[in-house]
Amino acid sequence: MRILVTGAAGFIGATFVHRRLAAGDDHIIVVDKLTYAGNPANLTGLADDPATRERYRFIEADIADEPLMKELASECDAIVNFAAESHVDRSILEPTAFLHTGVMGVYSLLEAARSEHEKRGGAFRLLQVSTDEVYGPVSEGLSVESDRIRPTSPYSAAKAAGEHLVAASHETHGLDTIITRGANTYGPNQYPEKLIPLFITNALDDESLPMYGDGMQRRDWLFVADHADGIGVALDRGEAGAAYNIPGDGVERPNRAVTEAILEHLDKPWSLVRIVPDRPGHDRRYALDGSRLRGLGWEPRVTFEDGIALTVDWYAAHREWWEPIKSGDWHDYYQQQYAWRLEQSTDA
Ligand code: NAD
Ligand code: DAU
């Protein structure tokens, strides 16, 4: 398949590209705007490796550049859209970029897909990578794909808006679309603003771990390779117009348990953890039913115990990857998000 993969200098997109290029004979064009979260180091090797260099191209661009997206789509059979502003806390501080990419960016890709769909009489697929956060918090049971979506943060509202545009293009223009809704994802190469890489890298430097509220918010953690493979299965075998949940290993864990696992693996003390004022609108729990994607033959392979050990070891061994990120603009963000919280913090 010839695939236009957008947002693939980020965490999950880069993993997807590495795995698709290693596993088969796909040709991939990556488009990424290289925002603060986009990192060319995540794609290292692909442009030089004799096994991949003829099948891989990188273009620095905004997905909202519709003429360019149309031109690139005409060289491909499918678009897989990872591009998004992805951090909930940043969406609370300043949501404009979330709307630009999540609404106008997604619309531009849909227009590119529509133009190919019309030229070819179908035979062009667009997969929108979405999130379990569109369901909003679920107090009990599991979210199924037919549930109503009720986003609660500017981030998840922007993702939900993108989903609505995708679903509308399927209904109105008959576009071949797929939506995936993945659970909280973790693993190597994740930008260190998210819970797991933030707590690992802070703990490695003996800095405080700012735990929001009571730390009893629950998530179903999904290892990044399993998420990338789930997206691949939905792309290859999914039914046009359908959405697919991608859950984690099925064991929900409160943030306290995730933090304990990190500290235990690093042999660092619990006293590093500080209880700080909560994230506004903090979703208490997400939990997904993954039967639909399992029906296509996908299963998560990595347990949380194995995945967290591998992830902690990766950050411990790759300071050269994350230390440059935690400098410059990072300090402004960290000050704005955490300085006042840490001043008001209490023992955990
Ligand atoms: P990330 O923040 O690591 O990467 C996002 C990438 O998108 C970056 O490389 C960035 O430069 C690029 N980008 C942003 N705006 C762009 C634009 N306008 N044009 C082109 N490129 C742009 O994010 P991630 O964690 O890899 O998430 C990827 C996707 O998966 C997102 O759509 C996110 O909503 C979704 N998702 C993430 C998780 C998670 O836990 N990380 C879980 C479920 C779904
Ligand atoms: O569920 C999928 C979503 O998972 C993705 O769509 C998002 O892109 C991704 O960022 C993630 O969202 P969360 O808000 O769940 O992830 P985050 O790592 O920001 O937070 C995980 C939990 O940890 C959440 O309950 C908030 C808490 N937390 C987070 C940070 C950054 C803390 O207690 N302290 C922190 O400093």
Side-chain angles (χ1 to χ4, degrees):
M1 207 188 285
R2 295 167 301 164
I3 319 173
L4 177 59
V5 186
T6 56
F11 166 51
I12 309 170
T15 306
F16 174 85
V17 169
H18 279 286
R19 292 177 75 77
R20 288 292 290 206
L21 287 173
D25 53 6
D26 290 332
H27 284 63
I28 290 183
I29 303 175
V30 168
V31 162
D32 198 293
K33 190 179 177 182
L34 298 182
T35 67
Y36 77 94
N39 187 346
N42 293 343
L43 297 163
T44 299
L46 295 176
D48 308 314
D49 185 338
T52 54
R53 67 183 176 217
E54 306 298 331
R55 298 186 288 124
Y56 166 79
R57 213 159 98 211
F58 178 85
I59 296 167
E60 182 176 343
D62 187 330
I63 58 166
D65 180 344
E66 193 180 312
L68 179 61
M69 294 310 114
K70 282 186 166 153
E71 193 185 313
L72 296 172
S74 72
E75 298 176 38
C76 295
D77 309 306
I79 297 173
V80 178
N81 180 33
F82 289 91
E85 293 291 329
S86 67
H87 192 40
V88 173
D89 291 327
R90 289 190 193 249
S91 80
I92 295 167
L93 294 173
E94 174 48 67
T96 313
F98 290 74
L99 297 173
H100 169 77
T101 301
V103 178
M104 295 317 294
V106 171
Y107 173 71
S108 148
L109 294 176
L110 285 165
E111 284 299 282
R114 180 153 77 103
S115 130
E116 289 314 301
H117 172 84
E118 283 169 1
K119 273 195 253 165
R120 303 176 198 192
F124 191 94
R125 174 159 275 193
L126 180 142
L127 185 149
Q128 168 68 3
V129 177
S130 192
T131 168
D132 62 359
E133 298 208 9
V134 296
Y135 292 116
V138 282
S139 52
E140 55 189 34
L142 303 175
S143 300
V144 293
E145 288 86 348
S146 55
D147 285 352
R148 272 189 68 186
I149 58 179
R150 299 166 186 271
T152 59
S153 72
Y155 162 70
S156 54
K159 294 298 291 184
E163 282 205 19
H164 282 312
L165 289 170
V166 170
S169 294
H170 174 71
E171 292 298 329
T172 307
H173 300 298
L175 289 196
D176 177 348
T177 59
I178 299 276
I179 290 169
T180 58
R181 298 184 183 136
N184 272 71
T185 305
Y186 71 102
N189 298 91
Q190 184 170 28
Y191 192 88
E193 65 195 350
K194 309 283 163 54
L195 176 78
I196 287 180
L198 179 72
F199 279 20
I200 294 172
T201 55
N202 279 13
L204 281 166
D205 283 346
D206 296 310
E207 281 182 23
S208 300
L209 312 187
M211 183 180 280
Y212 296 153
D214 62 3
M216 292 307 291
Q217 303 83 6
R218 304 173 83 80
R219 302 287 186 266
D220 174 15
W221 292 94
L222 169 63
F223 189 66
V224 64
D226 284 330
H227 192 164
D229 292 353
I231 290 166
V233 167
L235 175 68
D236 293 338
R237 292 178 233 153
E239 186 191 330
Y244 293 89
N245 289 339
I246 312 183
D249 72 353
V251 185
E252 291 171 39
R253 287 176 179 78
N255 294 336
R256 279 178 181 267
V258 171
T259 306
E260 271 163 19
I262 292 169
L263 291 173
E264 199 175 301
H265 199 72
L266 285 171
D267 197 19
K268 297 281 184 178
W270 181 255
S271 57
L272 287 176
V273 182
R274 304 295 302 163
I275 293 291
V276 300
D278 209 346
R279 169 188 282 177
H282 195 166
D283 288 348
R284 197 83 186 150
R285 173 179 180 263
Y286 308 122
L288 292 175
D289 178 319
S291 335
R292 187 179 279 181
L293 191 60
R294 282 200 171 85
L296 298 182
W298 172 87
E299 283 290 337
R301 295 195 178 139
V302 182
T303 62
F304 182 76
E305 288 71 22
D306 289 348
I308 198 72
L310 188 155
T311 304
V312 169
D313 290 346
W314 187 87
Y315 281 91
H318 290 84
R319 278 183 173 270
E320 83 294 347
W321 184 89
W322 58 266
E323 278 181 347
I325 295 173
K326 282 185 139 187
S327 66
D329 291 349
W330 168 267
H331 290 299
D332 298 338
Y333 166 70
Y334 204 81
Q335 277 291 111
Q336 194 180 2
Q337 181 64 21
Y338 294 109
W340 67 273
R341 284 192 161 87
L342 285 166
E343 273 170 24
Q344 296 177 26
S345 69
T346 55
D347 291 345

